[in-house]
């Protein structure tokens, strides 16, 4: 007996084809031809600026300090912020603020100098990762999920990229410290990302020390930076030791011998340099250009204390100049050849100054000097400028500036 198939009408065939096409568009999988306009992240509208407060719940982040030389790390629970990125190459400023207090100091030990000091060397870090790799429960990125897109703070074609920024300082008993980590992140692909904070600490003290929040912290992410081609960041970390120069940095590495700073009134060594292409002026070509923002962060250490690791400080520095170092960091806007621009070409925002003074005590040991300015350049003066950061020790004991942990960022200022 021969079985024959019923003949399909042209209308039925067309309906069947249409249904199959719609189903295939909705089903996931590499073989279904999912249309980009329906589900891919390219259609996401970029999220606006957001500032998120954490540590306000009944249970706030807390970290048990590791016994040196072991540093114990942990998540800043609740610090995560989700960001929608609309285009490849989008850049945003991210700022993590963590008001930190040292807890668990035995009664009567605060201020004592005999025995291991009850202080903790702490570090704070901010990262941005694609949403699929972030675990909201633990506050960490999942190592089991391979990323397909990145957010980086520094990269070198030969050495890869850096996807975080950090700050370091000793936290003393009875003294709250407002840790601030600033960075510009560049996102390689559109999609959803999470930015979040972590912290870590170690101490030579045998006391059961803990880091706690002195008050709620914040994590802020800016809106996409205008004119991303004029947003440049120089971070040497991870590349300097390999003798490589990361993207965004101009010039070579700072010689280790020059990182040690004797007290002097003369300008100190140049730590970082960037070149910035100026965006088109707001009005006439000869008028003032758009406002730019430059931020220099210098990682500094006083040589008045004992150095436990590799350091350019000398043994005699401990007994020279007292128990602190006075650092002065500064910024300069120059032509792309490094020469000074003609008078009247650069205008500084009212109230801003190109330098900052900061005292680092023997107890604090490691700290940061931050210089933050807004400036603009007359359109007829230059199409690009070089911004350089310099640091010196003005008084006290000799000091040390670490180029690979310092950074310099320039971008178009938010209006």
């Amino acid at each position: 007996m021969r079985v024959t198939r019923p003949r399909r009408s042209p209308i039925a065939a067309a309906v069947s084809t249409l249904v199959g096409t719609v189903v295939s568009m909705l089903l996931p999988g590499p073989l279904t031809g999912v249309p980009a306009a329906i589900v891919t992240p390219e259609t996401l509208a970029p999220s606006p600026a957001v500032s998120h407060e954490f540590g306000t719940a009944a249970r706030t982040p807390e970290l048990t300090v590791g016994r040196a030389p072991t540093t114990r790390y942990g998540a800043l629970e609740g610090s995560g912020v989700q960001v929608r990125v609309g285009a490849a190459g989008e850049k945003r400023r991210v700022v993590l603020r963590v008001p930190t207090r040292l807890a668990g100091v035995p009664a009567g030990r605060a201020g004592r100098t005999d025995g291991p000091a009850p202080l903790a060397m702490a570090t704070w870090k901010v990262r941005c990762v694609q949403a699929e790799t972030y675990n909201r429960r633990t506050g960490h990125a999942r190592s089991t999920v391979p990323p397909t897109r990145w957010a980086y703070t520094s990269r070198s074609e030969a050495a890869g990229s850096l996807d975080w920024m950090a700050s370091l300082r000793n936290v003393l008993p009875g003294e709250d410290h407002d840790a601030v980590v600033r960075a510009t992140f560049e996102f390689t692909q559109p999609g959803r990302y999470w930015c979040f904070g972590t912290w870590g600490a170690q101490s030579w003290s045998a006391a059961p020390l803990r880091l706690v929040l002195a008050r709620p912290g914040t994590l802020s992410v800016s809106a996409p930076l205008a004119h991303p081609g004029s947003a440049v960041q120089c971070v040497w970390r991870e590349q300097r030791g390999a003798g490589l120069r990361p993207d965004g940095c101009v010039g070579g590495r700072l010689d280790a011998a020059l990182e040690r700073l004797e007290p002097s009134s003369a300008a100190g060594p140049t730590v970082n340099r960037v070149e910035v292409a100026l965006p088109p002026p707001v009005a006439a070509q000869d008028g003032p250009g758009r406002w730019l923002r430059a931020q220099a962060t210098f990682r500094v250490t006083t040589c008045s204390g004992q150095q436990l690791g590799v350091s350019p400080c000398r043994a005699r520095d401990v007994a020279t100049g007292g128990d602190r170092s006075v650092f002065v960091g500064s910024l300069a806007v120059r032509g792309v050849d490094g020469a000074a621009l003609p008078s009247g070409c650069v205008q500084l925002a009212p109230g801003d100054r190109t330098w900052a003074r900061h005292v680092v005590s023997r107890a604090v040991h490691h700290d940061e000097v931050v210089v933050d300015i807004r400036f603009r350049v007359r359109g007829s003066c230059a199409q690009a400028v070089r911004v350089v950061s310099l640091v010196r020790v003005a008084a006290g004991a000799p000091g040390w500036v670490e180029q690979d942990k310092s950074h310099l960022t320039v971008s178009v200022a938010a209006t």
Side-chain angles (χ1 to χ4, degrees):
M1 177 178 178
R2 187 175 64 179
V3 178
T4 59
R5 294 182 180 179
R7 295 184 61 184
R8 298 172 65 190
S9 69
I11 295 178
V15 171
S16 176
T17 301
L18 177 61
V19 171
T21 301
V22 172
V23 171
S24 69
M25 291 171 64
L26 298 178
L27 289 175
L31 303 179
T32 58
V34 181
I38 295 179
V39 296
T40 57
E42 283 81 354
T43 58
L44 289 176
S47 55
V50 58
S51 183
H52 168 67
E53 192 174 70
F54 61 92
T56 58
R59 184 173 183 272
T60 60
E62 183 176 293
L63 178 73
T64 300
V65 176
R67 184 69 184 274
T70 300
T71 300
R72 180 170 292 177
Y73 296 94
L76 282 166
E77 298 163 331
S79 65
V81 173
Q82 188 176 118
V83 180
R84 298 188 309 272
V85 171
E90 187 174 290
K91 296 180 182 179
R92 294 173 181 255
R93 279 191 298 267
V94 180
V95 179
L96 172 69
R97 298 180 183 274
V98 190
T100 305
R101 177 178 297 164
L102 186 64
V105 179
R109 283 298 303 167
R112 296 269 296 275
T113 58
D114 58 306
L119 53 81
M121 185 173 71
T123 182
W124 302 264
K125 181 184 293 187
V126 64
R127 289 184 68 191
C128 293
V129 298
Q130 72 177 68
E132 294 85 351
T133 68
Y134 181 68
N135 188 325
R136 296 184 64 182
R137 184 181 61 82
T138 64
H140 285 289
R142 298 182 180 94
S143 59
T144 56
V145 180
T148 57
R149 56 187 187 273
W150 294 265
Y152 60 82
T153 54
S154 178
R155 65 175 176 176
S156 168
E157 187 173 337
S161 61
L162 189 69
D163 67 350
W164 53 270
M165 192 74 82
S167 176
L168 181 143
R169 187 185 189 269
N170 280 349
V171 181
L172 310 181
E175 176 187 290
D176 295 347
H177 172 61
D178 287 340
V180 183
V181 187
R182 307 168 182 84
T184 296
F185 281 84
E186 179 170 352
F187 299 86
T188 61
Q189 296 293 332
R192 298 179 188 272
Y193 294 78
W194 280 85
C195 297
F196 61 98
T198 60
W199 55 357
Q202 62 167 266
S203 176
W204 291 99
S205 172
L209 303 178
R210 295 172 290 115
L211 292 186
V212 299
L213 291 186
R215 57 186 179 280
T218 59
L219 195 151
S220 302
V221 182
S222 74
L225 297 180
H227 303 280
S230 298
V232 185
Q233 182 166 259
C234 175
V235 184
W236 281 88
R237 186 155 188 148
E238 308 297 332
Q239 279 83 28
R240 203 181 83 124
L244 302 170
R245 185 174 65 212
D247 295 350
C249 298
V250 176
R253 56 171 291 180
L254 183 62
D255 187 87
L258 297 178
E259 290 191 338
R260 180 182 174 275
L261 308 171
E262 290 275 5
S264 173
S265 59
T270 296
V271 179
N272 287 318
R273 308 172 182 85
V274 297
E275 286 186 5
V276 185
L278 298 177
V282 178
Q285 183 64 27
D286 191 41
R290 297 177 188 269
W291 287 104
L292 298 174
R293 185 178 187 181
Q295 289 182 315
T297 300
F298 304 91
R299 169 73 62 79
V300 294
T301 297
T302 177
C303 293
S304 64
Q306 296 289 342
Q307 310 295 316
L308 299 178
V310 177
S311 165
C313 296
R314 301 169 184 171
R316 62 179 176 83
D317 292 340
V318 177
T320 303
D323 63 352
R324 64 194 60 207
S325 301
V326 181
F327 291 91
V328 176
S330 62
L331 282 168
V333 182
R334 301 172 179 168
V336 291
D337 58 356
L341 291 168
S343 177
C345 281
V346 180
Q347 178 186 357
L348 197 65
D352 287 2
R353 62 184 186 184
T354 58
W355 60 275
R357 177 181 180 272
H358 191 65
V359 178
V360 181
S361 68
R362 178 182 297 166
V364 170
H365 199 58
H366 309 286
D367 211 337
E368 293 180 343
V369 183
V370 178
V371 186
D372 190 346
I373 65 170
R374 290 167 298 152
F375 69 94
R376 59 185 181 181
V377 181
R378 186 172 294 277
S380 60
C381 292
Q383 301 300 310
V385 294
R386 177 177 294 188
V387 180
V388 301
S389 61
L390 308 95
V391 68
R392 65 186 176 93
V393 169
W400 172 25
V401 60
E402 299 179 74
Q403 184 190 41
D404 65 336
K405 298 179 182 63
S406 303
H407 52 278
L408 172 61
T409 303
V410 181
S411 62
V412 175
T415 56

